[in-house]
Amino acid sequence: MRTLVIGDIHGGYKALLQVLERATVTAQDTLIFLGDYVDGWSESAQTVEKLLELSTTNTCIFIRGNHDLWCGLWLNKGATNPVWLAHGGKETRESYIKTGLLTDDRHRAFYNSLQNYYIDSENRLFLHAGFTSMHGVGREEYESNYYFDRTLWESALLAEKITPEILEKNPPQRFAHYKEIFIGHTPTTNYQEVTPMKAYNVYNADTGAAFKGKLTIMDIDSKEFWQSDTLPSLYPDEKGRN
């Protein structure tokens, strides 16, 4: 039995099917999704439908991303954020109308049930973006940081440049609370990397599926990973969030 973490999908249903197949996922595997299931490619509603299906066969943990927050507010309250519409929300809205899933109560419940973060039995933390509290994720003052913060990842990248001797004497407080931290939100393609990145004890599994990159699924123990084809090759007639 494995525990597999999946990066940001952004409506790339075809990519999701590919990584599940390439990783040979079975019902014995636990799946931890890091959020941003929607917005970008044309099959957001289909993606969430597949996640609901997986939740009946596998142990699944679904983390809330900022795009899921926006989409959930639209589905449940009719709130249309202009920023959301400009960053993939328009395509998500069209997919829900086209599929007839717009009024599906299971989808509304899905967005309401998403978790801000998850800590496993080995003290590994999973969340979409980050947190700022030096006291740990449970002491975060602003809930929005779970979905929007980038300082956690930026700090991890900076910590990589500090000598081990200094780090041993003065470990970064945010990271010291957890054995490992797994995030999405900030594409590794921003750093010209097409595979998952590690900085200090933080693993970034968002490999740019919203843009020109691939979707990644990774074994959190072995760190072996599998990737889809590039999303533009799966959706050649679409732009995604490019």
Side-chain angles (χ1 to χ4, degrees):
M1 185 181 76
R2 302 171 297 175
T3 297
L4 303 169
V5 66
I6 300 93
D8 304 29
I9 304 170
H10 284 288
Y13 174 67
K14 294 175 184 176
L16 176 59
L17 296 182
Q18 278 192 339
V19 295
L20 293 172
E21 181 180 358
R22 290 175 181 179
T24 320
V25 172
T26 71
Q28 284 68 50
D29 294 319
T30 294
L31 305 175
I32 302 178
F33 293 87
L34 294 174
D36 277 4
Y37 313 110
V38 301
D39 299 351
W41 305 99
S42 62
E43 298 186 291
S44 287
Q46 294 92 326
T47 296
V48 173
E49 186 71 12
K50 180 61 179 180
L51 299 181
L52 289 169
E53 176 188 322
L54 286 169
S55 70
T56 66
T57 60
N58 292 69
T59 298
C60 293
I61 307 295
F62 298 114
I63 304 297
R64 178 182 288 107
N66 55 303
H67 287 268
D68 313 312
L69 174 70
W70 289 329
C71 186
L73 288 172
W74 169 64
L75 275 182
N76 284 286
K77 298 183 180 180
T80 52
N81 185 326
V83 175
W84 172 59
L85 292 175
H87 290 275
K90 180 176 178 290
E91 290 76 12
T92 296
R93 186 171 62 180
E94 289 174 355
S95 77
Y96 266 100
I97 294 170
K98 181 179 178 180
T99 59
L101 293 168
L102 181 61
T103 58
D104 194 312
D105 289 337
R106 297 174 306 121
H107 281 243
R108 290 192 175 117
F110 173 80
Y111 291 97
N112 288 334
S113 68
L114 299 177
Q115 300 180 214
N116 287 335
Y117 61 87
Y118 171 71
I119 302 172
D120 73 3
S121 60
E122 295 188 30
N123 197 35
R124 292 176 289 201
L125 171 65
F126 304 83
L127 75 169
H128 180 65
F131 64 99
T132 61
S133 174
M134 295 299 118
H135 303 288
V137 71
R139 299 277 294 276
E140 185 58 45
E141 185 173 357
Y142 301 104
E143 184 175 313
S144 60
N145 283 330
Y146 299 134
Y147 331 126
F148 291 101
D149 176 69
R150 297 193 197 274
T151 66
L152 182 78
W153 177 240
E154 292 168 351
S155 297
L157 290 171
L158 290 173
E160 280 290 294
K161 300 179 180 180
I162 302 173
T163 63
E165 293 78 14
I166 294 176
L167 282 175
E168 185 176 353
K169 294 179 181 178
N170 300 283
Q173 291 184 39
R174 271 193 290 181
F175 309 115
H177 294 288
Y178 309 102
K179 177 182 177 181
E180 292 173 335
I181 302 173
F182 294 83
I183 64 168
H185 190 53
T186 302
T188 63
T189 49
N190 288 1
Y191 305 89
Q192 290 70 56
E193 294 287 346
V194 297
T195 58
M197 292 176 64
K198 177 181 181 292
Y200 200 61
N201 68 338
V202 181
Y203 290 86
N204 185 346
D206 179 358
T207 50
F211 302 98
K212 296 180 180 180
K214 304 175 179 182
L215 178 62
T216 294
I217 184 170
M218 182 169 67
D219 186 319
I220 68 171
D221 293 308
S222 70
K223 305 305 187 289
E224 182 179 7
F225 63 88
W226 301 262
Q227 293 187 294
S228 69
D229 296 344
T230 60
L231 272 290
S233 72
L234 295 175
Y235 296 93
D237 298 322
E238 300 179 25
K239 293 184 178 180
R241 294 186 61 211
N242 296 295

